[in-house]
Amino acid sequence: MQNPIRRALKLRFHAGSEVRVTVEGAKVPERTLRKLVPIYQEGAVDEDLLQEGRRALREWFERAGYFDAQVNYTTSDISAEKFRERVAHRG
């Protein structure tokens, strides 16, 4: 049985003409995500902003009682067209 206090959260950032943020492993309200991940306010993506967002999300989970929460992120540089193509071919 999984400990309900432990959660691994994975964020994916797809960079290109459009930036997409995908959260896996937990539910984070869109409003909260936009507030905590600074790429939305800055309109840019760089390593410092990603790290700042990771820390902010981890602290948000800790305040909610998830003290062992792990927040990681990955980035990929694909065009929006290739992203749509890849999603369309999923079964």
Side-chain angles (χ1 to χ4, degrees):
M1 183 172 173
Q2 186 178 9
N3 181 345
I5 302 298
R6 300 189 116 208
R7 281 288 192 197
L9 176 69
K10 188 185 299 183
L11 298 173
R12 282 195 194 147
F13 296 92
H14 302 282
S17 59
E18 176 180 333
V19 175
R20 297 174 191 215
V21 178
T22 306
V23 178
E24 298 175 357
K27 291 184 180 181
V28 179
E30 180 73 22
R31 185 175 183 178
T32 301
L33 196 61
R34 289 185 170 276
K35 180 179 169 186
L36 296 176
V37 180
I39 64 170
Y40 290 106
Q41 293 89 14
E42 298 293 328
V45 177
D46 65 31
E47 190 67 28
D48 290 336
L49 295 175
L50 295 174
Q51 287 291 336
E52 184 180 334
R54 185 186 65 77
R55 282 189 299 271
L57 281 166
R58 189 181 63 231
E59 290 169 3
W60 181 77
F61 278 103
E62 287 175 358
R63 285 192 301 274
Y66 296 96
F67 300 107
D68 292 331
Q70 297 176 10
V71 179
N72 300 303
Y73 64 87
T74 59
T75 62
S76 62
D77 189 13
I78 58 174
S79 70
E81 197 60 43
K82 286 183 181 177
F83 181 77
R84 278 191 221 102
E85 183 179 311
R86 186 165 58 185
V87 171
H89 287 111
R90 283 188 170 176

